[in-house]
């Protein structure tokens, strides 16, 4: 029954993320149930060999992040060392050279994937056991921090009744520790908290110790074959996809009583009712987080529903909201989304007090180094667009600062792209921010939206693939982004008359950057 449900959900493409080399490498390292000296899924090795980047490493091809490329390259090298082919030596040599180049860029980077400092030493240790010793000097500080954390985590006892967020990165543990874990850790689909790499590492460790787990094997078999040999860092993320889709519709000005929107709201309401501790990215991931919970509460209230606010309050910490209860660093967008949630009930004194406190926290963070950076998305356009949407009508001064950032960031072609040239996703984020600003009277000039309209028309029919979201790796959630583009185009269509009039006027559609703003 569970396998049938798994197949049905995969076929519906709900909650999918793009395949990535890091997670695929862990699946590739799982030995066959029948022949221990062979990989369980040889097609994963084909995927790895086909996706080596021109610079010799592995990772997101269009977005450069040395952290993500480092752990992706380490994992792929480990898979190739475990199952070497005759022509792998040049691949491995190029990968090692790439790692030393990436190491030089690590200290200056802002964005760090989830669990990086714990995954790095695990991969380094495994490669050393396979005869490949790597020691870039830039790794030493990371390895020292990792050792401290590993000692701390080593003291943790797994309470199977109380899931923890660090289970998502369970592949950081050595094989003997993984092999001792009780199968109760697996969720209803047979995965470790929706993490494909953690599930693969667990099954690999079991088989190396003469054990097995049919449920984990079935889960990995389905996701590998559905992905054509490549797997994403997690599956599914259906609650995250649903929640962010509704947020896009809200910011686009779509009526929540529209039948298909009302249906989505009822679906989200059922998730909320089933999770008294708040929402997570999936009904199969039992650790709730402040981001999904905040956004979920905000869009349910927008839809005229009245969920309990208690789960939201559980993520409050002195002057800001947390993503997870044991996180190291806070997130700007989590706090923007929490503020958006609080703004739905400002007639409640406790909500208003928290809204005022978190606003001051955001003021400090957003004005620090331009502030539009976040731990969950690679593009500052995403952060600025959500800042405009949340702050307009509440703190117009900060909203205008974020709006000015967006207007100045518009590219010559009418799109937005702070990472790898104009992208459809970043343009859609910006359009929704500008649409809110226009409805709230902060943006009077239609030219930026006209330019965006032209950009979308020129790229009609194209599908974005850039991995701009930050998890264990950089990833692309195709279902969410498709709905984001739909919402952005809908927001533009609501201003059709003015946009079309200006669109046909000489060259007035050019973005502000080209007009010497």
């Amino acid at each position: 029954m569970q396998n049938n449900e798994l197949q049905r959900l995969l076929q519906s493409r709900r909650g999918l993320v793009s395949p990535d080399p890091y997670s695929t490498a862990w699946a590739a390292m799982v030995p066959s149930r029948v022949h221990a000296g062979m990989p369980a899924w040889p097609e994963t090795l084909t995927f790895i060999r086909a996706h080596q980047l021109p610079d010799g490493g592995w990772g997101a091809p269009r977005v450069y992040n040395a952290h993500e490329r480092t752990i992706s390259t380490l994992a792929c090298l480990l898979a190739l060392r475990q199952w070497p082919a005759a022509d792998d030596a040049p691949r491995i040599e190029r990968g090692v050279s790439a790692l030393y180049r990436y190491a030089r860029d690590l200290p200056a980077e802002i964005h760090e994937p989830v669990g990086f400092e714990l995954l790095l030493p695990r991969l380094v240790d495994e490669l050393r056991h396979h005869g490949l010793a790597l020691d870039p000097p830039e790794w030493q500080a990371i390895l020292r921090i990792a050792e401290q954390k590993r000692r701390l985590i080593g003291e943790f006892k797994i309470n199977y009744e109380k899931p923890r967020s660090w289970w998502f990165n369970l592949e950081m543990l050595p094989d003997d520790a993984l092999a001792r874990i009780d199968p109760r850790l697996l969720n209803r689909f047979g995965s470790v908290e929706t993490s494909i790499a953690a599930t693969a590492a667990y099954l690999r460790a079991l088989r190396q110790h003469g054990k097995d787990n049919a449920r984990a094997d079935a889960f990995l078999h389905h996701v590998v074959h559905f992905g054509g040999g490549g797997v994403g860092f997690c599956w599914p993320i259906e609650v995250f996809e649903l929640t962010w889709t509704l947020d896009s519709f809200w910011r686009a000005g779509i009526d929540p009583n529209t039948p298909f929107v009302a249906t989505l709201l009822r679906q989200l309401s059922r998730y909320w009712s089933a999770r008294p501790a708040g929402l997570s990215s999936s009904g199969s991931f039992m650790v709730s987080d402040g981001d999904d919970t905040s956004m979920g509460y905000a869009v349910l209230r927008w839809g005229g529903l009245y969920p309990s606010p208690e789960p939201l309050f559980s993520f409050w910490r002195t002057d800001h909201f947390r993503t997870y209860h044991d996180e190291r660093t806070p997130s700007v967008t989590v706090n923007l989304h929490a503020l958006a949630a609080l703004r739905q009930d400002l007639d409640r004194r406790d909500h208003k007090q928290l809204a005022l406190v978190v606003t001051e926290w955001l003021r400090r963070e957003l004005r620090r180094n331009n502030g539009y950076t976040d731990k969950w998305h690679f593009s500052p356009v995403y952060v600025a667009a959500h800042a405009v949407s949340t702050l307009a009508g509440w703190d117009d001064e900060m909203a205008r600062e974020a709006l000015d950032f967006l207007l100045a960031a518009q590219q010559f072609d009418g799109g937005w792209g702070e990472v790898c040239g104009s992208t459809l996703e970043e343009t859609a984020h910006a359009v929704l921010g500008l649409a809110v600003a226009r409805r709230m009277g902060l943006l009077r000039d239609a030219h930026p939206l006209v330019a965006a309209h032209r950009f979308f028309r020129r790229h009609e029919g194209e599908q974005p693939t850039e991995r701009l979201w930050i998890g264990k790796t950089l990833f692309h959630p195709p279902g969410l982004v498709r709905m984001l583009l739909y919402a952005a185009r809908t927001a533009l269509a609501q201003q059709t008359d003015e946009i079309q009039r200006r669109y046909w006027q000489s060259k007035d559609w050019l973005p502000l950057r080209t007009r010497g703003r």
Side-chain angles (χ1 to χ4, degrees):
M1 182 68 178
Q2 288 175 334
N3 284 351
N4 290 338
E5 185 182 4
L6 178 63
Q7 287 179 306
R8 179 179 59 78
L9 282 172
L10 281 168
Q11 292 298 333
S12 72
R13 306 190 71 82
R14 284 185 61 199
L16 286 176
V17 301
S18 58
D20 69 81
Y22 172 80
S23 306
T24 303
W26 276 105
M29 288 184 262
V30 178
S32 168
R33 176 171 49 86
V34 179
H35 301 289
M38 297 177 61
W41 299 285
E43 59 267 44
T44 55
L45 290 164
T46 302
F47 180 94
I48 289 169
R49 293 181 176 114
H51 286 81
Q52 188 169 21
L53 298 172
D55 70 358
W58 281 266
R62 292 196 61 197
V63 181
Y64 178 76
N65 178 254
H67 285 80
E68 193 247 6
R69 290 199 181 183
T70 294
I71 61 164
S72 297
T73 302
L74 285 168
C76 289
L77 290 177
L78 182 54
L80 295 178
R81 293 287 288 197
Q82 182 171 322
W83 313 113
D87 59 349
D88 278 340
R91 291 190 182 93
I92 293 172
E93 184 178 353
R94 292 175 60 225
V96 170
S97 297
L99 282 171
Y100 281 84
R101 292 195 301 274
Y102 299 154
R104 293 194 292 269
D105 294 334
L106 292 174
E109 281 195 340
I110 298 172
H111 297 102
E112 180 179 312
V114 174
F116 173 82
E117 72 281 2
L118 293 170
L119 300 174
L120 175 71
R122 161 74 158 132
L123 293 165
V124 170
D125 287 347
E126 281 283 318
L127 279 167
R128 186 178 296 111
H129 293 153
H130 281 79
L132 188 58
L134 302 166
D135 60 349
E138 293 86 357
W139 288 1
Q140 295 311 306
I142 300 168
L143 294 173
R144 284 194 296 272
I145 295 171
E147 185 56 34
Q148 296 169 0
K149 288 196 168 187
R150 288 167 78 180
R151 284 199 297 269
L152 177 62
I153 289 175
E155 298 171 0
F156 288 179
K157 301 295 182 183
I158 292 180
N159 180 348
Y160 296 96
E161 305 302 320
K162 188 177 180 181
R164 297 288 299 276
S165 60
W166 62 270
W167 292 6
F168 191 78
N169 294 315
L170 211 66
E171 71 267 28
M172 67 187 172
L173 298 180
D175 289 331
D176 58 346
L178 286 170
R180 291 195 300 269
I181 292 175
D182 192 286
R184 284 181 293 162
L185 191 77
L186 300 178
N187 65 20
R188 63 194 179 102
F189 290 136
S191 76
V192 178
E193 295 293 0
T194 74
S195 170
I196 294 176
T199 307
Y202 174 61
L203 184 59
R204 174 179 181 257
L206 288 177
R207 289 181 175 173
Q208 287 178 339
H209 286 74
K211 304 177 184 179
D212 205 359
N213 186 281
R215 295 174 61 224
D217 178 84
F219 173 81
L220 290 167
H221 174 83
H222 280 92
V223 294
V224 167
H225 284 279
F226 187 81
V231 297
F233 85 103
C234 67
W235 184 85
I237 55 164
E238 80 286 2
V239 179
F240 170 71
E241 184 178 279
L242 173 61
T243 306
W244 261 249
T245 291
L246 287 166
D247 170 66
S248 298
F249 292 170
W250 177 20
R251 294 189 293 136
I254 296 173
D255 185 349
N257 295 312
T258 304
F260 78 95
V261 179
T263 299
L264 296 180
L265 285 164
R266 286 193 295 271
Q267 290 177 13
L268 184 61
S269 182
R270 287 194 291 271
Y271 280 117
W272 188 278
S273 299
R275 297 287 292 266
L279 296 177
S280 72
S281 59
S282 171
S284 302
F285 187 16
M286 301 315 296
V287 182
S288 299
D289 67 83
D291 210 8
D292 287 287
T293 301
S294 297
M295 186 74 87
Y297 183 86
V299 296
L300 287 172
R301 291 292 291 112
W302 161 70
L305 301 174
Y306 292 88
S308 168
E310 291 307 314
L312 176 64
F313 295 153
S314 71
F315 293 96
W316 178 252
R317 181 178 182 176
T318 309
D319 62 350
H320 68 278
F321 286 85
R322 295 170 288 188
T323 311
Y324 292 102
H325 293 294
D326 53 0
E327 74 177 354
R328 278 194 305 126
T329 56
S331 160
V332 167
T333 55
V334 167
N335 283 274
L336 285 168
H337 301 153
L339 177 57
L342 294 169
R343 287 191 61 192
Q344 303 306 303
D345 296 297
L346 289 177
D347 55 330
R348 294 185 52 160
R349 185 176 178 182
D350 52 348
H351 282 222
K352 188 167 185 177
Q353 287 177 334
L354 288 184
L356 291 171
V357 174
V358 78
T359 299
E360 291 310 308
W361 184 89
L362 283 165
R363 193 184 312 280
R364 293 194 300 273
E365 293 298 315
L366 288 170
R367 289 176 176 173
R368 181 181 301 164
N369 300 321
N370 286 330
Y372 302 108
T373 58
D374 192 63
K375 63 195 290 184
W376 303 120
H377 200 281
F378 208 79
S379 174
V381 174
Y382 171 83
V383 184
H386 280 257
V388 172
S389 302
T390 297
L391 295 165
W394 170 253
D395 190 312
D396 285 346
E397 181 184 6
M398 277 202 291
R400 286 192 183 94
E401 291 173 3
L403 177 60
D404 285 344
F405 176 89
L406 288 177
L407 294 174
Q410 192 170 23
Q411 301 291 329
F412 298 152
D413 59 6
W416 276 263
E418 294 292 299
V419 180
C420 51
S422 293
T423 68
L424 286 164
E425 182 188 327
E426 288 171 281
T427 301
H429 287 305
V431 164
L432 292 181
L434 267 57
V436 172
R438 191 155 174 79
R439 288 200 301 273
M440 299 299 293
L442 298 180
L443 177 66
R444 300 187 182 280
D445 187 358
H447 284 99
L449 292 171
V450 174
H453 173 73
R454 184 182 181 94
F455 177 83
F456 279 135
R457 285 190 55 152
R458 191 162 55 249
H459 294 277
E460 195 75 38
E462 295 182 17
Q463 296 299 322
T465 59
E466 296 82 18
R467 301 179 197 169
L468 298 171
W469 297 80
I470 304 172
K472 192 179 302 188
T473 63
L474 299 182
F475 70 98
H476 169 71
L480 184 158
V481 174
R482 280 196 300 271
M483 291 296 98
L484 172 71
L485 293 174
Y486 170 82
R489 290 185 170 109
T490 301
L492 290 172
Q494 290 174 346
Q495 303 184 57
T496 297
D497 291 344
E498 183 170 7
I499 287 177
Q500 289 294 337
R501 184 175 67 253
R502 292 183 179 274
Y503 179 77
W504 295 110
Q505 288 176 355
S506 62
K507 294 186 179 179
D508 280 353
W509 59 267
L510 287 173
L512 293 174
R513 179 179 287 185
T514 67
R515 293 190 278 122
R517 179 180 178 275

